[in-house]
Amino acid sequence: MAAAMAPTSLLVLVLLILCHGVELSAAANVTYDHRALVIDGRRRVLVSGSIHYPRSTPEMWPDLIEKSKSGGLDVIDTYVFWDIHEPVQGEYDFEGRKDLVRFVKAVAAGGLYVHLRIGPYVCAEWNYGGFPLWLHFIPGIEFRTDNEPYKKEMQRFTTKIVDMMKYEKLYASQGGPIILSQIENEYGNIDDAYGKAAKTYIDWAASMATSLNTGVPWVMCQQADAPDPIIDTCNGFYCDQYTPNSIHLLDVDDDDDVRHACRFLGFGDSVPYRPAEDLAFAVARFYQRGGTLQNYYMYHGGTNFGRTSGGPFITTSYDYDAPIDEYGLVRQPKWGHLRDLHIAIKLCEEAMVATDPESIDLGPNLIGDVYRAESGKCAAFLANIDNKTNATVIFNGKTYFLPAWSVSILPDCEHVVFNTAQINSQTTLPEMKYVNSDDQSSELAWKYVQEPVGISKSSAFVKAEILEQINTTADASDYLCLDITGNEPFLSDGSECTLHVESLGHVLHSFVNGQPTGSAIGSGGDSKVSLNLTITLVKGINKIDLLSVTVGLQNYGAFYEKQGAGIISPVLLIGKTASANLSLSEWTYQIGLQGEDSGLYDSGDSSVWHSQADLPKYVPLVWYTTEFEAPAGNDPVAIDFTGMGKGTAWVNGESIGRYWPSYLAPESGCEPCDYRGNYDAKKCRKNCGQPSQTLYHVPRSFIRPGQNKLVLFEEMGGDPTIISFTTRQIARLCGHVSENHPPPVRAWNSTNKSPVLHLECPRPDQVISSVPFASFGTPYGTCGSYSHGGCSSSRALAIVKQACVGATSCDVEVSIDLFGDPCAHVGKSLAVEVACS
């Protein structure tokens, strides 16, 4: 999935841009050797991060790129999404969010390199893994194997993208930003299923890609047998044990079959997160063990607009707990902690590229790796991989404290500039501010249209069998309606009977004589559903309607294109004395909804909408619309769909994706999270027993000044008057730094080697207006809920106020020289919370 799906890298640091800036004006020679990528004859240590262009908007791209560069990235990594670029065979679309060339040029304008992952299989929790559905219907085709119809289409699209990039002179060999390309993706996870044909296919794919003469290296993610000159890369939560196939270049995706900067979110799941300390530990360990290029999947996750999410059951939010959140705001302390890590690694670059690391045994679970260049440059990484016990080690005759599950970086083999477990970066607490009033939604005037139950379109057709859904709809809609009308004498006497329906997924609703009788929903772990409903038929003619619904198509696994969806045989009516198999009866089929065909989501015809006076609530299959004013300011906008069931939403005709706030996560599984120890798919969860997603991002570019139109299709039943508009703002800033923390990395060349607590308002037009909490001593707790410990300096609050109030940013030295010593012989720290306005 994304883990098994997406490799990318992060990297360079603003403070070092003068020395290591990306030069895009002249053609560059990009090669590699056993240690690193070589750009114009110089080995480079690089950091990369994934940003997928269609998961944000062109208006957001420059800011996302700037924040990536400020965070220390050198490279932006993106997949290329075949399905959105060629929705109909031979007809291409590169407009709006799909403007790949504009995105690559924006990255270049921001001074960063690009890793273009063409695939064209991407996985990425994207619908159908990024393949267009028409590919499924080519006679004789079999995806991702030694199959001529598939290879023909794969080569045609790959060539199309390469030719586009060449025409725009975007490869580094032409003076552009693209320094790497990828062919295929995570095939090594599944190639055994394809037998001998897998190797034939991979060799062909490599030969095809290199024949396109891009002038830059090609990689394959997670492909141990990648043929020369293709670079194999690691794909996992931790890559410090990775051994390359034939070279020691290391494009590492910090991502696993279950993800990496964190993990994706599915409807019905609790929300995953990954502590900054552990992510930094994983990255530092990779560079410690010889890595020179790594990628964060994701650095900005973004939003699955429209029907692009895959899975199935992947949420509309693709936030990924990434350093830049779904809305484009930096997530602190993760963004800042990783920025500091990237600065520290860059300080080691000259020594790292000169030689392989020399490992030193420092004790049980204590490992040192030293890079010594002939020039005299020396850099060291000291790691404590024990997940419980802190340690003190002796290295080069000096003593160093290593917290459990941490790496210290010494750019001169003497002084610690960074430790992965000791966060100097501030923490920010974002909040959703509800627009206008606590009940602004009550001010909205809602109108509605009832979607007919059953068959309502002239395009409906009849078949005397149960049809597989994907083959029937070609994914033109989430919805397929099946209708059967008839008279079963032994069941139509008013007595009860059982309706039995099974489905491959993902959601199923039943209606008898126009009335809802029950629903069943699957999950990301098991998309299959089954209905066993007690129903009562009337005498004479009865009508049964089944509405089968998909929630994104499968995007991962061997032969996944052969996995079906929707209702399967048998469909049974079971009475007390007899039963009927309806599967071979005549069924009427309707693809999609009447409202979809008539364009209700973008309709300017007000005559079709009914007034609010008789607004139906908690009724299935209803279209709703209202107008709203653009929220003031420039803060990111979201809609809180609390009160709704399941459906899709559009703002001014732009789909903001599927909503499903009624699907709750399990009550269990959200135990306290300790960053120490291996991260996995089940570790570090929150919001158990709560909706997986209630807030849905509306990009500012979707919203016009003045009046805007919101349209919903509510599938299961809800109350739109409860919906609220919100803006995302940073509510509080906090910092917590101890006497044992290293000094700030930006002070590496400074004579002041004391730890410093740094706070900075999120916007340049803001100043620190108040200090709700400050304590030097033994404070404890988390941002927003700090408490004084057993000892606390009486001067702390006054000192912090004097240093910070009225300033955009402030630095406070963490030392007894400034605060006094409230408790001798006890380790002390400074915890501060401030507000900006």
Side-chain angles (χ1 to χ4, degrees):
M1 331 267 224
M5 307 180 201
T8 38
S9 347
L10 256 137
L11 140 77
V12 111
L13 176 269
V14 182
L15 299 180
L16 299 174
I17 270 293
L18 292 177
C19 297
H20 301 289
V22 177
E23 299 178 2
L24 305 174
S25 57
N29 180 33
V30 183
T31 58
Y32 61 85
D33 62 18
H34 81 289
R35 279 297 295 130
L37 270 187
V38 180
I39 301 177
D40 284 338
R42 184 163 66 95
R43 288 175 178 171
R44 295 295 305 274
V45 171
L46 298 172
V47 185
S48 167
S50 294
I51 298 177
H52 297 159
Y53 54 98
R55 282 176 160 145
S56 53
T57 65
E59 293 77 9
M60 295 173 66
W61 294 343
D63 183 62
L64 295 174
I65 293 163
E66 189 279 327
K67 288 171 178 171
S68 299
K69 184 176 180 179
S70 297
L73 298 199
D74 301 300
V75 186
I76 298 296
D77 162 297
T78 185
Y79 284 126
V80 178
F81 298 85
W82 188 358
D83 62 325
I84 63 172
H85 293 310
E86 194 177 4
V88 177
Q89 190 173 15
E91 297 181 13
Y92 297 98
D93 185 355
F94 291 92
E95 301 297 319
R97 295 194 310 277
K98 295 167 274 191
D99 194 338
L100 175 61
V101 167
R102 179 178 175 182
F103 178 75
V104 174
K105 288 183 175 180
V107 176
L112 298 180
Y113 293 123
V114 172
H115 178 192
L116 192 67
R117 305 175 67 190
I118 299 175
Y121 166 75
V122 299
C123 186
E125 291 72 60
W126 192 268
N127 193 55
Y128 214 46
F131 286 142
L133 252 294
W134 55 259
L135 199 67
H136 175 80
F137 296 98
I138 293 177
I141 199 165
E142 192 170 78
F143 293 0
R144 306 176 72 198
T145 188
D146 187 22
N147 174 270
E148 291 305 320
Y150 173 73
K151 291 192 296 182
K152 177 183 176 182
E153 295 301 324
M154 175 180 172
Q155 181 169 4
R156 182 180 60 80
F157 180 73
T158 303
T159 303
K160 168 76 175 179
I161 298 301
V162 168
D163 287 348
M164 284 181 64
M165 299 301 108
K166 284 183 176 180
Y167 180 80
E168 298 289 343
K169 299 188 183 304
L170 293 176
Y171 282 103
S173 57
Q174 303 171 294
I178 303 173
I179 59 171
L180 287 171
S181 288
Q182 180 178 308
I183 195 71
E184 247 301 332
N185 188 41
E186 299 170 352
Y187 192 67
N189 296 335
I190 61 166
D191 55 6
D192 285 350
Y194 294 91
K196 294 181 179 179
K199 181 58 177 173
T200 305
Y201 165 64
I202 281 299
D203 289 347
W204 168 85
S207 176
M208 181 270 291
T210 55
S211 74
L212 296 176
N213 298 317
T214 62
V216 302
W218 287 83
V219 306
M220 285 183 174
C221 173
Q222 203 78 350
Q223 194 65 47
D225 62 349
D228 187 67
I230 303 295
I231 301 167
D232 171 38
T233 70
C234 174
N235 184 22
F237 286 131
Y238 305 92
C239 284
D240 52 293
Q241 300 302 314
Y242 165 62
T243 302
N245 56 349
S246 58
I247 59 167
H248 202 61
L249 168 86
L250 311 127
D251 171 21
V252 175
D253 181 26
D254 186 26
D255 170 62
D256 190 355
D257 261 354
V258 281
R259 294 294 181 178
H260 94 343
C262 179
R263 177 175 166 81
F264 55 85
L265 175 63
F267 286 119
D269 292 343
S270 54
V271 178
Y273 63 97
R274 187 174 186 183
E277 299 96 328
D278 176 64
L279 183 53
F281 173 80
V283 174
R285 283 285 292 154
F286 172 68
Y287 287 105
Q288 174 181 356
R289 301 295 296 158
T292 54
L293 169 57
Q294 87 91 33
N295 176 77
Y296 295 97
Y297 189 96
M298 301 288 298
Y299 198 73
H300 164 73
T303 305
N304 290 316
F305 299 110
R307 301 173 56 246
T308 58
S309 63
F313 293 94
I314 298 300
T315 56
T316 296
S317 173
Y318 201 67
D319 180 82
Y320 230 89
D321 195 41
I324 304 175
D325 72 15
E326 178 180 5
Y327 301 89
L329 303 178
V330 295
R331 173 174 277 114
Q332 297 281 37
K334 182 173 284 187
W335 181 88
H337 193 47
L338 296 177
R339 173 205 57 203
D340 293 349
L341 168 63
H342 305 150
I343 297 173
I345 290 169
K346 283 296 186 172
L347 290 170
C348 304
E349 181 174 17
E350 184 178 341
M352 289 175 66
V353 298
T355 183
D356 293 320
E358 174 191 350
S359 291
I360 300 173
D361 185 358
L362 300 173
N365 292 322
L366 300 169
I367 305 167
D369 284 277
V370 181
Y371 295 88
R372 290 189 175 91
E374 291 183 359
S375 65
K377 290 287 185 178
C378 182
F381 293 73
L382 309 181
N384 179 359
I385 62 173
D386 192 285
N387 62 9
K388 297 292 184 185
T389 306
N390 300 334
T392 299
V393 301
I394 297 175
F395 171 70
N396 282 352
K398 293 186 67 174
T399 300
Y400 297 90
F401 172 71
L402 290 177
W405 204 253
S406 78
V407 178
S408 283
I409 299 176
L410 293 67
D412 60 358
C413 285
E414 182 178 359
H415 300 97
V416 175
V417 70
F418 181 88
N419 179 272
T420 60
Q422 296 175 320
I423 296 177
N424 280 332
S425 175
Q426 68 183 16
T427 296
T428 58
L429 290 184
E431 68 174 6
M432 305 307 294
K433 183 176 180 181
Y434 287 80
V435 175
N436 295 333
S437 72
D438 292 338
D439 191 23
Q440 75 88 33
S441 59
S442 63
E443 303 169 8
L444 301 176
W446 289 92
K447 296 181 180 181
Y448 76 97
V449 171
Q450 184 75 52
E451 176 73 23
V453 173
I455 306 302
S456 59
K457 294 164 56 176
S458 60
S459 58
F461 59 94
V462 177
K463 286 285 185 179
E465 59 180 320
I466 299 296
L467 300 177
E468 192 278 324
Q469 184 157 341
I470 299 173
N471 285 321
T472 305
T473 66
D475 199 39
S477 170
D478 285 354
Y479 299 98
L480 179 64
C481 181
L482 292 73
D483 171 286
I484 186 169
T485 303
N487 183 354
E488 295 292 343
F490 65 93
L491 297 172
S492 58
D493 58 357
S495 61
E496 291 184 343
C497 60
T498 298
L499 173 64
H500 173 80
V501 188
E502 293 188 6
S503 171
L504 298 175
H506 310 133
V507 178
L508 180 61
H509 307 294
S510 76
F511 303 82
V512 175
N513 296 322
Q515 299 302 310
T517 53
S519 299
I521 60 175
S523 67
D526 183 7
S527 62
K528 295 180 180 180
V529 297
S530 180
L531 271 179
N532 283 284
L533 300 172
T534 299
I535 62 173
T536 301
L537 301 180
V538 300
K539 292 184 178 181
I541 302 298
N542 287 272
K543 179 184 177 187
I544 297 175
D545 291 292
L546 302 175
L547 184 62
S548 181
V549 188
T550 53
V551 191
L553 301 187
Q554 187 73 28
N555 59 258
Y556 180 73
F559 306 106
Y560 77 83
E561 76 274 17
K562 299 181 180 181
Q563 296 185 28
I567 297 167
I568 57 176
S569 297
V571 178
L572 304 175
L573 275 178
I574 304 169
K576 293 180 180 179
T577 59
S579 63
N581 185 347
L582 305 181
S583 304
L584 300 180
S585 301
E586 285 197 342
W587 290 87
T588 303
Y589 288 84
Q590 174 181 296
I591 299 171
L593 306 171
Q594 185 183 83
E596 288 178 310
D597 280 13
S598 61
L600 286 179
Y601 53 86
D602 196 24
S603 174
D605 184 4
S606 60
S607 65
V608 301
W609 296 95
H610 304 295
S611 67
Q612 184 170 358
D614 53 351
L615 187 72
K617 299 178 182 179
Y618 301 107
V619 175
L621 308 185
V622 183
W623 294 83
Y624 297 102
T625 189
T626 190
E627 292 188 345
F628 66 95
E629 290 278 348
N634 296 314
D635 293 316
V637 177
I639 301 176
D640 185 342
F641 276 92
T642 298
M644 300 303 289
K646 175 183 180 294
T648 305
W650 295 260
V651 172
N652 296 324
E654 295 275 2
S655 174
I656 63 171
R658 301 181 181 97
Y659 65 82
W660 201 349
S662 63
Y663 203 164
L664 304 183
E667 293 285 346
S668 62
C670 292
E671 289 78 16
C673 176
D674 187 340
Y675 75 85
R676 298 172 300 178
N678 286 325
Y679 180 79
D680 60 40
K682 296 181 180 180
K683 185 178 180 181
C684 300
R685 292 276 178 162
K686 60 184 179 181
N687 292 4
C688 285
Q690 302 297 315
S692 300
Q693 185 180 355
T694 57
L695 297 167
Y696 291 78
H697 181 210
V698 184
R700 280 283 179 177
S701 60
F702 287 10
I703 301 173
R704 301 188 287 251
Q707 291 293 308
N708 294 267
K709 187 172 186 178
L710 171 64
V711 175
L712 317 176
F713 173 66
E714 175 52 52
E715 174 188 322
M716 302 177 74
D719 182 358
T721 66
I722 303 176
I723 284 176
S724 298
F725 287 83
T726 71
T727 57
R728 190 168 178 86
Q729 302 177 4
I730 301 300
R732 286 167 288 195
L733 308 179
C734 299
H736 193 177
V737 175
S738 78
E739 294 176 301
N740 291 326
H741 275 54
V745 290
R746 66 183 184 277
W748 172 248
N749 292 319
S750 169
T751 57
N752 182 4
K753 297 301 182 181
S754 297
V756 173
L757 187 148
H758 175 78
L759 297 171
E760 184 171 352
C761 292
R763 298 202 311 258
D765 61 342
Q766 293 179 314
V767 297
I768 297 171
S769 55
S770 64
V771 183
F773 184 89
S775 179
F776 178 76
T778 55
Y780 62 94
T782 57
C783 186
S785 59
Y786 287 134
S787 297
H788 295 282
C791 79
S792 180
S793 170
S794 60
R795 300 153 51 185
L797 185 59
I799 290 172
V800 173
K801 282 183 175 180
Q802 183 177 7
C804 298
V805 172
T808 298
S809 65
C810 62
D811 291 314
V812 182
E813 184 177 307
V814 182
S815 73
I816 58 175
D817 294 338
L818 181 62
F819 292 98
D821 191 348
C823 41
H825 310 299
V826 173
K828 288 167 281 292
S829 64
L830 173 64
V832 177
E833 177 185 335
V834 304
C836 292
S837 61

